[in-house]
Amino acid sequence: MAVEEIKSWIADSRNIVFFGGAGTSTESQIPDFRSATGLYQTGARHAFPPEVMLSRSFFMERTAEFFDFYRACMVHREAKPNAAHEVLAQLEQTGKLRAVVTQNIDGLHQMAGSEHVLELHGSVHRNYCMGCGKFFDLDHVTSDEIMVPRCDACGGIVKPDVVLYEESLDWDILSKARKHIAEADVLIVGGTSLTVNPAAALVGEYGGDKLILINQSSTPYDSRATHVIRDSIGKVLKALVS
């Protein structure tokens, strides 16, 4: 019954927004953070907890160790878009989906064909020199030749354009995300525990009555959702547009 109702909402809407987290990419073999097989468990083999190694202060003080962890655990060059990414791209192309708001940094939404993607936490595919601002691609950062990537123009350290712990989200992107979510007819939330702010609080901007929450585990927003579905995001999204 829930699927049929949601399918009718999608059929009638021209202003759907998708808000996703790490669970959107687990079907592309990219580990999430907080599950039993997530980064916070598998990353424990390193000398420091992942949340420490992904902090601004660690990056500045132990840059080589940061990049060792970053290349091993945060960059997944072999990953390809899964069914969820592909369905969302199709919904955008048909004029139904207005925006994808993502906490992921893998770029898989764009790889699948989505154009209106708001990356709250940045992207591994963008990297910039902290000295002169010159941008570099992922190849420059993942090269095994040097532990700390340097700018070929000024010699400065090249930092991934991702939001680390102790750093603020980009205000412009956050504002656009708030606006899209607040104005959405249908809000689909998938693959996120909704426990980390300010990103999680974005769901609170939605004042409509068509909130679909797709996640394998419970979230603080379950009671506010119109429908809660505990299943694979790709499987559910494919069923909703079939």
Side-chain angles (χ1 to χ4, degrees):
M1 182 66 179
V3 170
E4 292 306 313
E5 182 173 43
I6 298 169
K7 287 176 72 171
S8 70
W9 293 347
I10 291 174
D12 295 339
S13 179
R14 289 295 182 274
N15 190 2
I16 302 168
V17 172
F18 178 81
F19 175 67
T24 309
S25 292
T26 53
E27 290 166 52
S28 296
Q29 283 68 59
I30 295 179
D32 61 9
F33 289 84
R34 292 171 177 79
S35 72
T37 57
L39 181 62
Y40 286 179
Q41 301 298 323
T42 60
R45 66 179 183 272
H46 292 268
F48 300 90
E51 58 267 42
V52 172
M53 300 188 79
L54 292 174
S55 68
R56 172 80 180 193
S57 56
F58 193 90
F59 172 82
M60 297 301 294
E61 295 165 10
R62 296 172 175 264
T63 311
E65 290 175 78
F66 168 88
F67 275 107
D68 181 52
F69 177 79
Y70 180 79
R71 293 182 182 110
C73 297
M74 302 302 293
V75 177
H76 302 274
R77 302 193 65 130
E78 73 291 346
K80 303 296 181 186
N82 61 53
H85 300 106
E86 291 166 356
V87 169
L88 292 168
Q90 292 166 12
L91 286 173
E92 181 185 294
Q93 290 158 12
T94 57
K96 293 182 176 296
L97 185 77
R98 291 285 182 88
V100 168
V101 180
T102 180
Q103 299 173 77
N104 297 337
I105 61 175
D106 50 49
L108 292 182
H109 285 293
Q110 292 92 329
M111 197 181 299
S114 291
E115 296 182 5
H116 298 96
V117 182
L118 296 170
E119 296 172 310
L120 296 174
H121 295 153
S123 172
V124 298
H125 298 283
R126 298 190 302 271
N127 306 272
Y128 68 93
C129 172
M130 299 179 73
C132 68
K134 181 178 178 179
F135 270 78
F136 294 87
D137 61 15
L138 184 57
D139 288 339
H140 189 81
V141 170
T142 56
S143 171
D144 292 330
E145 296 176 8
I146 51 173
M147 282 302 295
V148 177
R150 294 278 180 176
C151 176
D152 56 11
C154 75
I157 294 173
V158 175
K159 179 185 180 295
D161 189 16
V162 299
V163 179
L164 302 176
Y165 289 100
E166 304 168 353
E167 292 182 334
S168 299
L169 272 61
D170 182 284
W171 179 252
D172 183 54
I173 293 174
L174 193 60
S175 296
K176 288 177 180 176
R178 284 196 180 107
K179 187 173 188 297
H180 276 295
I181 289 173
E183 296 176 352
D185 292 334
V186 178
L187 177 62
I188 303 174
V189 179
T192 172
S193 62
L194 296 175
T195 56
V196 180
N197 290 317
L202 287 170
V203 179
E205 301 289 330
Y206 180 68
D209 59 357
K210 298 178 178 67
L211 172 58
I212 304 118
L213 208 162
I214 309 166
N215 202 53
Q216 297 284 7
S217 58
S218 61
T219 80
Y221 286 84
D222 284 6
S223 61
R224 295 181 58 177
T226 317
H227 292 295
V228 177
I229 303 175
R230 303 255 184 266
D231 208 337
S232 153
I233 300 173
K235 175 183 173 182
V236 173
L237 290 182
K238 283 181 70 175
L240 292 179
V241 299
S242 62

